[in-house]
Amino acid sequence: SQTIHQWPATLVQPVGSPLSLECTVEGTSNPNLYWYRQAAGRGLQLLFYSVGIGQISSEVPQNLSASRPQDRQFILSSKKLLLSDSGFYLCAWSVRVASGGLYEQYFGPGTRLTVT
Amino acid sequence: AQKITQTQPGMFVQEKEAVTLDCTYDTSDQSYGLFWYKQPSSGEMIFLIYQGSYDEQNATEGRYSLNFQKARKSANLVISASQLGDSAMYFCAMREPGGAGSYQLTFGKGTKLSVIP
């Protein structure tokens, strides 16, 4: 069965510090990978998605970046955090299909980031 | 423009009763998918049910069913026989075309369901 891991579970970082959140998927190959952010009391906002190693698409311009160094590893980074970066970050994976695709996305447990 | 609308910020339901959570959507695509996710206080997003735009039957998964009315662009979630463990945030989401081999989900703002014993 497939599992998705995220770490750390919680993080408190000062403004201006760097960030690295990691997501790994087990039990599947060539997944699509996604990073979402959820502000308090809000829905999810897609930040980045990836269809393969080194292939990153950004949905929202900001001071965050993403990388996919391995097939089942997805990393969210920042060089200098802002207060507005606080939120709940969720990684998700889905099956990759040739065109379109209506398969559900499965989410990891999330990382709660507080920027102070 | 908002593509997924959930008009109920919060809902209460008596244990063992049924409850309907509303979701309307806006798209010009002919092929699309609608999803419902549950988010308990722990934060994880749990996939509940999926409805494809070409599916003729309403989707059902155990106590969950999706009341899909294509002409009205609504995809309401019905939870039958509510349980205390159903208390959570519920999000409606719609698939949008992404890059090759991918798709993106657009989420509504969610409905907080509270089940009363």
Side-chain angles (χ1 to χ4, degrees), chain A residues 64-85:
Chain A
L64 298 172
S65 61
S67 61
R68 185 169 178 175
Q70 300 180 44
D71 181 47
R72 290 170 289 177
Q73 184 184 28
F74 206 22
I75 297 172
L76 183 69
S77 304
S78 174
K79 293 182 178 179
K80 290 186 178 181
L81 283 169
L82 306 172
L83 286 174
S84 58
D85 291 325

PDB file of all heavy atoms in Angstrom, chain A residues 64-85:
ATOM      1  N   LEU A  64       8.635  31.139  -1.811  1.00  0.00           N
ATOM      2  CA  LEU A  64       8.839  29.715  -1.612  1.00  0.00           C
ATOM      3  C   LEU A  64       9.298  29.077  -2.912  1.00  0.00           C
ATOM      4  O   LEU A  64       8.997  29.578  -4.002  1.00  0.00           O
ATOM      5  CB  LEU A  64       7.536  29.043  -1.153  1.00  0.00           C
ATOM      6  CG  LEU A  64       6.956  29.519   0.167  1.00  0.00           C
ATOM      7  CD1 LEU A  64       5.584  28.910   0.383  1.00  0.00           C
ATOM      8  CD2 LEU A  64       7.882  29.175   1.321  1.00  0.00           C
ATOM      9  N   SER A  65      10.000  27.958  -2.807  1.00  0.00           N
ATOM     10  CA  SER A  65      10.400  27.193  -3.975  1.00  0.00           C
ATOM     11  C   SER A  65      10.242  25.713  -3.668  1.00  0.00           C
ATOM     12  O   SER A  65      10.108  25.321  -2.498  1.00  0.00           O
ATOM     13  CB  SER A  65      11.852  27.499  -4.367  1.00  0.00           C
ATOM     14  OG  SER A  65      12.728  27.148  -3.317  1.00  0.00           O
ATOM     15  N   ALA A  66      10.218  24.911  -4.701  1.00  0.00           N
ATOM     16  CA  ALA A  66      10.081  23.468  -4.528  1.00  0.00           C
ATOM     17  C   ALA A  66      11.090  22.760  -5.403  1.00  0.00           C
ATOM     18  O   ALA A  66      11.518  23.277  -6.431  1.00  0.00           O
ATOM     19  CB  ALA A  66       8.666  23.017  -4.860  1.00  0.00           C
ATOM     20  N   SER A  67      11.475  21.573  -4.961  1.00  0.00           N
ATOM     21  CA  SER A  67      12.389  20.755  -5.750  1.00  0.00           C
ATOM     22  C   SER A  67      11.988  19.294  -5.630  1.00  0.00           C
ATOM     23  O   SER A  67      11.373  18.880  -4.642  1.00  0.00           O
ATOM     24  CB  SER A  67      13.837  20.948  -5.277  1.00  0.00           C
ATOM     25  OG  SER A  67      13.978  20.550  -3.928  1.00  0.00           O
ATOM     26  N   ARG A  68      12.339  18.547  -6.650  1.00  0.00           N
ATOM     27  CA  ARG A  68      12.047  17.104  -6.659  1.00  0.00           C
ATOM     28  C   ARG A  68      13.333  16.390  -7.085  1.00  0.00           C
ATOM     29  O   ARG A  68      13.522  16.064  -8.247  1.00  0.00           O
ATOM     30  CB  ARG A  68      10.906  16.777  -7.607  1.00  0.00           C
ATOM     31  CG  ARG A  68      10.491  15.305  -7.567  1.00  0.00           C
ATOM     32  CD  ARG A  68       9.204  15.121  -8.318  1.00  0.00           C
ATOM     33  NE  ARG A  68       8.812  13.706  -8.345  1.00  0.00           N
ATOM     34  CZ  ARG A  68       7.669  13.268  -8.863  1.00  0.00           C
ATOM     35  NH1 ARG A  68       6.800  14.131  -9.371  1.00  0.00           N
ATOM     36  NH2 ARG A  68       7.388  11.975  -8.862  1.00  0.00           N
ATOM     37  N   PRO A  69      14.215  16.137  -6.118  1.00  0.00           N
ATOM     38  CA  PRO A  69      15.497  15.520  -6.455  1.00  0.00           C
ATOM     39  C   PRO A  69      15.401  14.032  -6.767  1.00  0.00           C
ATOM     40  O   PRO A  69      16.259  13.493  -7.481  1.00  0.00           O
ATOM     41  CB  PRO A  69      16.331  15.758  -5.193  1.00  0.00           C
ATOM     42  CG  PRO A  69      15.328  15.903  -4.095  1.00  0.00           C
ATOM     43  CD  PRO A  69      14.119  16.519  -4.715  1.00  0.00           C
ATOM     44  N   GLN A  70      14.377  13.379  -6.258  1.00  0.00           N
ATOM     45  CA  GLN A  70      14.169  11.960  -6.524  1.00  0.00           C
ATOM     46  C   GLN A  70      12.693  11.738  -6.876  1.00  0.00           C
ATOM     47  O   GLN A  70      11.851  12.583  -6.601  1.00  0.00           O
ATOM     48  CB  GLN A  70      14.552  11.114  -5.301  1.00  0.00           C
ATOM     49  CG  GLN A  70      16.003  11.261  -4.869  1.00  0.00           C
ATOM     50  CD  GLN A  70      16.323  10.406  -3.656  1.00  0.00           C
ATOM     51  OE1 GLN A  70      15.917   9.242  -3.578  1.00  0.00           O
ATOM     52  NE2 GLN A  70      17.058  10.976  -2.710  1.00  0.00           N
ATOM     53  N   ASP A  71      12.420  10.585  -7.438  1.00  0.00           N
ATOM     54  CA  ASP A  71      11.072  10.309  -7.940  1.00  0.00           C
ATOM     55  C   ASP A  71      10.001  10.469  -6.874  1.00  0.00           C
ATOM     56  O   ASP A  71       8.906  10.970  -7.140  1.00  0.00           O
ATOM     57  CB  ASP A  71      11.028   8.888  -8.513  1.00  0.00           C
ATOM     58  CG  ASP A  71       9.657   8.539  -9.070  1.00  0.00           C
ATOM     59  OD1 ASP A  71       9.091   9.380  -9.812  1.00  0.00           O
ATOM     60  OD2 ASP A  71       9.158   7.440  -8.780  1.00  0.00           O
ATOM     61  N   ARG A  72      10.310  10.050  -5.651  1.00  0.00           N
ATOM     62  CA  ARG A  72       9.293  10.048  -4.603  1.00  0.00           C
ATOM     63  C   ARG A  72       9.625  11.009  -3.477  1.00  0.00           C
ATOM     64  O   ARG A  72       9.182  10.834  -2.343  1.00  0.00           O
ATOM     65  CB  ARG A  72       9.128   8.615  -4.072  1.00  0.00           C
ATOM     66  CG  ARG A  72       8.468   7.685  -5.082  1.00  0.00           C
ATOM     67  CD  ARG A  72       8.525   6.237  -4.662  1.00  0.00           C
ATOM     68  NE  ARG A  72       9.867   5.696  -4.749  1.00  0.00           N
ATOM     69  CZ  ARG A  72      10.195   4.464  -4.385  1.00  0.00           C
ATOM     70  NH1 ARG A  72       9.281   3.647  -3.881  1.00  0.00           N
ATOM     71  NH2 ARG A  72      11.432   4.032  -4.502  1.00  0.00           N
ATOM     72  N   GLN A  73      10.382  12.049  -3.784  1.00  0.00           N
ATOM     73  CA  GLN A  73      10.754  13.036  -2.784  1.00  0.00           C
ATOM     74  C   GLN A  73      10.431  14.432  -3.301  1.00  0.00           C
ATOM     75  O   GLN A  73      10.779  14.799  -4.429  1.00  0.00           O
ATOM     76  CB  GLN A  73      12.253  12.933  -2.468  1.00  0.00           C
ATOM     77  CG  GLN A  73      12.728  13.852  -1.361  1.00  0.00           C
ATOM     78  CD  GLN A  73      14.239  13.776  -1.170  1.00  0.00           C
ATOM     79  OE1 GLN A  73      14.980  13.486  -2.104  1.00  0.00           O
ATOM     80  NE2 GLN A  73      14.694  14.033   0.036  1.00  0.00           N
ATOM     81  N   PHE A  74       9.779  15.203  -2.461  1.00  0.00           N
ATOM     82  CA  PHE A  74       9.355  16.552  -2.830  1.00  0.00           C
ATOM     83  C   PHE A  74       9.715  17.470  -1.673  1.00  0.00           C
ATOM     84  O   PHE A  74       9.357  17.197  -0.520  1.00  0.00           O
ATOM     85  CB  PHE A  74       7.842  16.558  -3.093  1.00  0.00           C
ATOM     86  CG  PHE A  74       7.359  17.625  -4.028  1.00  0.00           C
ATOM     87  CD1 PHE A  74       8.209  18.238  -4.945  1.00  0.00           C
ATOM     88  CD2 PHE A  74       6.026  18.032  -4.010  1.00  0.00           C
ATOM     89  CE1 PHE A  74       7.743  19.209  -5.820  1.00  0.00           C
ATOM     90  CE2 PHE A  74       5.558  19.004  -4.881  1.00  0.00           C
ATOM     91  CZ  PHE A  74       6.411  19.587  -5.785  1.00  0.00           C
ATOM     92  N   ILE A  75      10.417  18.557  -1.965  1.00  0.00           N
ATOM     93  CA  ILE A  75      10.917  19.438  -0.914  1.00  0.00           C
ATOM     94  C   ILE A  75      10.403  20.849  -1.139  1.00  0.00           C
ATOM     95  O   ILE A  75      10.431  21.364  -2.262  1.00  0.00           O
ATOM     96  CB  ILE A  75      12.462  19.429  -0.889  1.00  0.00           C
ATOM     97  CG1 ILE A  75      12.955  18.016  -0.553  1.00  0.00           C
ATOM     98  CG2 ILE A  75      12.981  20.432   0.133  1.00  0.00           C
ATOM     99  CD1 ILE A  75      14.455  17.849  -0.692  1.00  0.00           C
ATOM    100  N   LEU A  76       9.938  21.458  -0.078  1.00  0.00           N
ATOM    101  CA  LEU A  76       9.496  22.855  -0.111  1.00  0.00           C
ATOM    102  C   LEU A  76      10.505  23.683   0.666  1.00  0.00           C
ATOM    103  O   LEU A  76      10.864  23.334   1.793  1.00  0.00           O
ATOM    104  CB  LEU A  76       8.116  22.991   0.527  1.00  0.00           C
ATOM    105  CG  LEU A  76       7.485  24.376   0.507  1.00  0.00           C
ATOM    106  CD1 LEU A  76       7.113  24.779  -0.914  1.00  0.00           C
ATOM    107  CD2 LEU A  76       6.244  24.413   1.399  1.00  0.00           C
ATOM    108  N   SER A  77      10.966  24.775   0.063  1.00  0.00           N
ATOM    109  CA  SER A  77      12.040  25.558   0.679  1.00  0.00           C
ATOM    110  C   SER A  77      11.750  27.043   0.632  1.00  0.00           C
ATOM    111  O   SER A  77      10.939  27.514  -0.157  1.00  0.00           O
ATOM    112  CB  SER A  77      13.364  25.298  -0.049  1.00  0.00           C
ATOM    113  OG  SER A  77      13.685  23.937  -0.079  1.00  0.00           O
ATOM    114  N   SER A  78      12.465  27.737   1.483  1.00  0.00           N
ATOM    115  CA  SER A  78      12.492  29.187   1.431  1.00  0.00           C
ATOM    116  C   SER A  78      13.841  29.659   1.935  1.00  0.00           C
ATOM    117  O   SER A  78      14.398  29.078   2.866  1.00  0.00           O
ATOM    118  CB  SER A  78      11.377  29.790   2.282  1.00  0.00           C
ATOM    119  OG  SER A  78      11.496  31.204   2.335  1.00  0.00           O
ATOM    120  N   LYS A  79      14.363  30.719   1.357  1.00  0.00           N
ATOM    121  CA  LYS A  79      15.633  31.274   1.828  1.00  0.00           C
ATOM    122  C   LYS A  79      15.404  32.199   3.013  1.00  0.00           C
ATOM    123  O   LYS A  79      16.221  32.272   3.925  1.00  0.00           O
ATOM    124  CB  LYS A  79      16.327  32.023   0.690  1.00  0.00           C
ATOM    125  CG  LYS A  79      16.790  31.128  -0.442  1.00  0.00           C
ATOM    126  CD  LYS A  79      17.507  31.927  -1.510  1.00  0.00           C
ATOM    127  CE  LYS A  79      18.002  31.003  -2.630  1.00  0.00           C
ATOM    128  NZ  LYS A  79      18.685  31.766  -3.710  1.00  0.00           N
ATOM    129  N   LYS A  80      14.260  32.915   3.010  1.00  0.00           N
ATOM    130  CA  LYS A  80      13.950  33.849   4.093  1.00  0.00           C
ATOM    131  C   LYS A  80      12.446  33.846   4.336  1.00  0.00           C
ATOM    132  O   LYS A  80      11.674  34.343   3.510  1.00  0.00           O
ATOM    133  CB  LYS A  80      14.415  35.267   3.755  1.00  0.00           C
ATOM    134  CG  LYS A  80      15.906  35.471   3.748  1.00  0.00           C
ATOM    135  CD  LYS A  80      16.255  36.948   3.547  1.00  0.00           C
ATOM    136  CE  LYS A  80      17.762  37.163   3.600  1.00  0.00           C
ATOM    137  NZ  LYS A  80      18.123  38.617   3.429  1.00  0.00           N
ATOM    138  N   LEU A  81      12.052  33.335   5.470  1.00  0.00           N
ATOM    139  CA  LEU A  81      10.627  33.243   5.779  1.00  0.00           C
ATOM    140  C   LEU A  81      10.018  34.598   6.118  1.00  0.00           C
ATOM    141  O   LEU A  81      10.672  35.467   6.718  1.00  0.00           O
ATOM    142  CB  LEU A  81      10.417  32.293   6.953  1.00  0.00           C
ATOM    143  CG  LEU A  81      10.497  30.801   6.641  1.00  0.00           C
ATOM    144  CD1 LEU A  81      10.539  29.995   7.932  1.00  0.00           C
ATOM    145  CD2 LEU A  81       9.332  30.359   5.769  1.00  0.00           C
ATOM    146  N   LEU A  82       8.741  34.739   5.729  1.00  0.00           N
ATOM    147  CA  LEU A  82       7.950  35.905   6.085  1.00  0.00           C
ATOM    148  C   LEU A  82       6.875  35.489   7.082  1.00  0.00           C
ATOM    149  O   LEU A  82       6.507  34.317   7.161  1.00  0.00           O
ATOM    150  CB  LEU A  82       7.281  36.489   4.832  1.00  0.00           C
ATOM    151  CG  LEU A  82       8.186  36.820   3.652  1.00  0.00           C
ATOM    152  CD1 LEU A  82       7.349  37.206   2.445  1.00  0.00           C
ATOM    153  CD2 LEU A  82       9.165  37.920   4.017  1.00  0.00           C
ATOM    154  N   LEU A  83       6.338  36.461   7.806  1.00  0.00           N
ATOM    155  CA  LEU A  83       5.245  36.161   8.730  1.00  0.00           C
ATOM    156  C   LEU A  83       4.070  35.514   7.992  1.00  0.00           C
ATOM    157  O   LEU A  83       3.412  34.611   8.515  1.00  0.00           O
ATOM    158  CB  LEU A  83       4.773  37.424   9.439  1.00  0.00           C
ATOM    159  CG  LEU A  83       5.672  37.985  10.530  1.00  0.00           C
ATOM    160  CD1 LEU A  83       5.131  39.325  11.025  1.00  0.00           C
ATOM    161  CD2 LEU A  83       5.791  37.008  11.707  1.00  0.00           C
ATOM    162  N   SER A  84       3.836  35.965   6.778  1.00  0.00           N
ATOM    163  CA  SER A  84       2.703  35.470   5.994  1.00  0.00           C
ATOM    164  C   SER A  84       2.887  34.028   5.521  1.00  0.00           C
ATOM    165  O   SER A  84       1.968  33.430   4.959  1.00  0.00           O
ATOM    166  CB  SER A  84       2.473  36.371   4.780  1.00  0.00           C
ATOM    167  OG  SER A  84       3.642  36.424   3.984  1.00  0.00           O
ATOM    168  N   ASP A  85       4.072  33.465   5.746  1.00  0.00           N
ATOM    169  CA  ASP A  85       4.298  32.068   5.363  1.00  0.00           C
ATOM    170  C   ASP A  85       3.739  31.091   6.401  1.00  0.00           C
ATOM    171  O   ASP A  85       3.707  29.882   6.170  1.00  0.00           O
ATOM    172  CB  ASP A  85       5.791  31.798   5.179  1.00  0.00           C
ATOM    173  CG  ASP A  85       6.360  32.501   3.957  1.00  0.00           C
ATOM    174  OD1 ASP A  85       5.635  32.616   2.944  1.00  0.00           O
ATOM    175  OD2 ASP A  85       7.524  32.951   4.024  1.00  0.00           O
TER     176      ASP A  85
END
